Amino acid sequence: ASLQCLGFTCERVMELDDAPEISTDTTDRMLTTIVDGIRATRPDNIRYAACRALYNSLPFTQKNMERKQERDTIMQTVCEATQSQDPRVRSAAFECIASIASEYYEKLADYIQTIFELTFNTIKNDEEDVAKGAMEFWS
């Protein structure tokens, strides 16, 4: 429930015309919690909520995406989520990857080969709804 609340809060703040500046410390703590929720050791319902929260928080993570170590952690965790047994988690993870590409494409060079392999295999072998999310990266 906390991850859902965090995701909805981020989504709501983005809709505000005069959205407040969120401190780097707050963003760091928020992102740490979200990424921890996406890890493979978490139950699928938590991973799904965390992927949705990440999707909604991406506009606030510019400083985090500037730092390679943090970017690596985010991308590794999201890419691992594309391999979940739960199609909702896989689909949400691909939505995150597409959104990351939209917001931070210039930062993705180190991950393009992995993203290509993940999306290609998903488009070729996965359920239609998940495959659509994988195709979204390339559009």
Side-chain angles (χ1 to χ4, degrees), residues 19-40:
E21 182 74 25
I22 298 178
S23 73
T24 302
D25 184 52
T26 300
T27 303
D28 289 347
R29 285 183 284 152
M30 176 179 68
L31 201 53
T32 297
T33 301
I34 292 170
V35 170
D36 183 65
I38 298 173
R39 295 194 188 283

Side-chain angles (χ1 to χ4, degrees), residues 30-98:
M30 176 179 68
L31 201 53
T32 297
T33 301
I34 292 170
V35 170
D36 183 65
I38 298 173
R39 295 194 188 283
T41 56
R42 301 292 183 205
D44 286 334
N45 62 330
I46 292 183
R47 293 181 84 192
Y48 175 72
C51 282
R52 299 303 310 149
L54 178 62
Y55 179 86
N56 290 323
S57 70
L58 285 172
F60 302 109
T61 62
Q62 182 174 1
K63 291 178 182 169
N64 304 90
M65 292 300 284
E66 293 291 329
R67 296 186 285 263
K68 183 171 178 10
Q69 183 177 357
E70 291 183 41
R71 187 173 60 245
D72 285 348
T73 300
I74 293 166
M75 292 305 298
Q76 178 183 354
T77 305
V78 174
C79 286
E80 287 172 357
T82 67
Q83 303 304 295
S84 170
Q85 294 298 311
D86 187 331
R88 296 175 314 139
V89 174
R90 292 194 308 272
S91 184
F94 279 116
E95 288 177 20
C96 285
I97 291 171

Side-chain angles (χ1 to χ4, degrees), residues 75 79 82-83 94 97-98 101 105 108-125 131 133-138:
M75 292 305 298
C79 286
T82 67
Q83 303 304 295
F94 279 116
I97 291 171
Y105 188 78
L108 293 184
D110 292 343
Y111 319 102
I112 289 294
Q113 183 62 39
T114 299
I115 293 170
F116 170 76
E117 291 168 10
L118 291 171
T119 56
F120 179 78
N121 288 332
T122 298
I123 292 166
K124 186 176 171 185
N125 300 314
M135 284 189 289
E136 184 68 26
F137 174 81
W138 300 105

